[in-house]
Amino acid sequence: MKNKMSVQTAIEKITYVTSNFPEEPFRILSENPQEAIPYLMEGIKKALTEQDRLDVNYQLHFYALFLLAEFGYQEAFPTVMELISIPANTLDTLLGGAITEGLDDCLYSLYNGDIDLLESYIIETQSNSYAKNAALRVYIQLYNDGEIQQQRLMDLFKKLIYAPVVEDDIFDTMVSAAVCDCRLFSMLPDVKYMYDYDRVDESYYGDYADCVDSIFNYGPYRERGLNKINSAADMLRNWAMFDQPTDSKSKKDATKKDFEKMLHKMIASAQQPVKTEKIYPNDPCPCGSGKKYKKCCMNKAADKKEELTMAADRKKWLESYPEDPGCRIEGHIYLSDFYDREAIETDKLVYLALKHRAEFITMRETQEQKIKRRTYYLLKAFSRYVERCKAEDIRTFREYDDKYSIHYTSAEWLNYLIQLLEEQKFSAELKEVKSFCAGR
């Protein structure tokens, strides 16, 4: 009968890099946590002490992070926090992909209740941006668990936004995303502040309008919550660092096929032409006036029918707009909880003009079409904007923005409208817009 592997032998088997995942050593260590913990702690301390002098093939500290998390060994939390505070490049060498794939769950599993340590790391440490984000995600999970009050979370965000130890575009971008994921609606002006000072990478998360859409998004694609690690082996065995068995490769091929099907479906959906649906006399007019169709556009001459074509375009491109659903869900907060219908309808027009449209090559607008569309929507928005300002004696952009602006500020879209009118030499409209904007 083959002798059972000892814990010490199992540790030796995972001390250095192997091509295959060390199944048996992991099983032995998982079954003997008390005996394994001292060895695992020594592995992390060795990496912390030697840092960039550590043998490149040394792997014990990496495995130890996940195994200690599986054991819920909270005494390791301060040491792990010290480890992830080392210089960014060195930490990246020591932990690699674990920084973005698993570190947050590990920290959550190891968390020992020392909220001050976690908070000071997030605010003060100048280490790896993604490691800081992992710690921030733990902090947010503790908030979701009810262990941290909302005000304390907001205070943390305020410090990160207005008093950063160092400006870090990567981490700042993650902070802006986190505010939206936490649905801290009152902090949207703080997120806007970060965008105004170019501290958010729009290629990663989108522009400020995307943030507004995201914070009201109750769909399935929200940021996932953290989980306590139950099995380090289950988390690691399929990582790309290990040679994969045949059945695992088959699963990857199946996943690839699923992705290709999804991509094909997305392209087909995006390329589907916009259809003009039949409109009945008592239906709301699709031009967005708020009037019934029969009292608005129904009897317009044929050369005005282009407005209805634009109106059909609205349905397709407002799918991401945070509109109220037909049936409100208790506990959900909607745009209409903050803004009235008039403000929302004006904002929709600006949104249709300025919001980025993810288009495929075969369906891209020509530059002339794009200018025409944007001018059409912004002029309609301008008409509504002027009407409201006159009705309420609103004299400045700031006054309007504080009450009614949602995705875009007044100056932002009105200045762009002026630019469009100048390009097309629309002298009458240009004079009217410039006259209205003068001195505001």
Side-chain angles (χ1 to χ4, degrees), residues 94-126:
L94 292 180
L95 294 185
I99 298 174
T100 55
E101 298 292 333
L103 178 59
D104 48 6
D105 285 332
C106 287
L107 293 176
Y108 182 51
S109 301
L110 295 169
Y111 177 66
N112 66 351
D114 191 345
I115 191 62
D116 292 331
L117 173 60
L118 183 63
E119 193 171 281
S120 64
Y121 172 81
I122 295 167
I123 295 171
E124 299 170 11
T125 304
Q126 300 180 42

Side-chain angles (χ1 to χ4, degrees), residues 392-408:
E392 299 183 19
D393 195 28
I394 296 174
R395 298 177 180 275
T396 66
F397 290 155
R398 178 65 180 271
E399 187 180 352
Y400 183 94
D401 291 342
D402 287 345
K403 290 182 177 180
Y404 303 123
S405 287
I406 304 173
H407 285 86
Y408 303 93

Side-chain angles (χ1 to χ4, degrees), residues 162-221:
Y162 296 106
V165 173
V166 60
E167 288 193 9
D168 177 346
D169 288 350
I170 296 174
F171 185 59
D172 286 346
T173 299
M174 294 170 180
V175 168
S176 69
V179 171
C180 294
D181 285 330
C182 292
R183 301 194 195 282
L184 299 175
F185 299 96
S186 66
M187 289 195 68
L188 276 174
D190 305 299
V191 173
K192 184 68 166 60
Y193 169 86
M194 297 180 78
Y195 274 92
D196 289 344
Y197 283 87
D198 296 322
R199 288 173 54 193
V200 180
D201 182 354
E202 293 189 12
S203 66
Y204 171 82
Y205 195 69
D207 59 15
Y208 176 71
D210 290 308
C211 284
V212 177
D213 289 346
S214 173
I215 202 168
F216 289 98
N217 174 26
Y218 289 97
Y221 302 110

Side-chain angles (χ1 to χ4, degrees), residues 48 74-83 110 112 114 117:
L48 181 56
Q74 296 181 353
E75 288 85 347
F77 185 69
T79 305
V80 172
M81 292 301 294
E82 188 177 356
L83 176 66
L110 295 169
N112 66 351
D114 191 345
L117 173 60

Side-chain angles (χ1 to χ4, degrees), residues 315-370:
K315 183 176 180 181
K316 183 178 182 70
W317 296 110
L318 286 175
E319 288 182 355
S320 297
Y321 192 88
E323 183 76 282
D324 285 16
C327 180
R328 292 170 65 94
I329 299 173
E330 186 177 356
H332 286 194
I333 296 176
Y334 301 99
L335 204 60
S336 60
D337 294 324
F338 298 93
Y339 302 97
D340 62 24
R341 177 51 54 186
E342 176 65 24
I344 291 173
E345 288 303 322
T346 302
D347 181 66
K348 280 183 181 178
L349 292 166
V350 179
Y351 184 94
L352 283 161
L354 301 187
K355 186 71 168 65
H356 171 69
R357 298 182 172 194
E359 299 171 305
F360 293 93
I361 293 174
T362 55
M363 61 171 291
R364 284 181 179 166
E365 292 177 298
T366 65
Q367 186 62 17
E368 182 180 358
Q369 289 172 326
K370 186 177 293 186

Side-chain angles (χ1 to χ4, degrees), residues 48-166:
L48 181 56
T49 301
E50 299 186 17
Q51 297 189 21
D52 54 5
R53 294 179 287 106
L54 193 68
D55 186 329
V56 293
N57 291 315
Y58 189 80
Q59 197 78 351
L60 181 57
H61 64 288
F62 177 87
Y63 293 134
L65 176 65
F66 288 88
L67 283 164
L68 290 169
E70 175 188 324
F71 302 153
Y73 187 63
Q74 296 181 353
E75 288 85 347
F77 185 69
T79 305
V80 172
M81 292 301 294
E82 188 177 356
L83 176 66
I84 64 174
S85 300
I86 65 178
N89 290 338
T90 303
L91 182 63
D92 190 53
T93 300
L94 292 180
L95 294 185
I99 298 174
T100 55
E101 298 292 333
L103 178 59
D104 48 6
D105 285 332
C106 287
L107 293 176
Y108 182 51
S109 301
L110 295 169
Y111 177 66
N112 66 351
D114 191 345
I115 191 62
D116 292 331
L117 173 60
L118 183 63
E119 193 171 281
S120 64
Y121 172 81
I122 295 167
I123 295 171
E124 299 170 11
T125 304
Q126 300 180 42
S127 184
N128 186 288
S129 303
Y130 296 98
K132 288 186 68 173
N133 185 56
L136 178 60
R137 282 172 52 75
V138 174
Y139 198 93
I140 292 169
Q141 185 61 53
L142 295 173
Y143 160 71
N144 290 332
D145 292 344
E147 294 188 32
I148 296 174
Q149 296 298 312
Q150 185 179 86
Q151 188 57 54
R152 183 161 187 171
L153 175 65
M154 292 175 65
D155 289 344
L156 173 69
F157 280 131
K158 295 275 188 181
K159 290 175 184 177
L160 296 173
I161 293 170
Y162 296 106
V165 173
V166 60

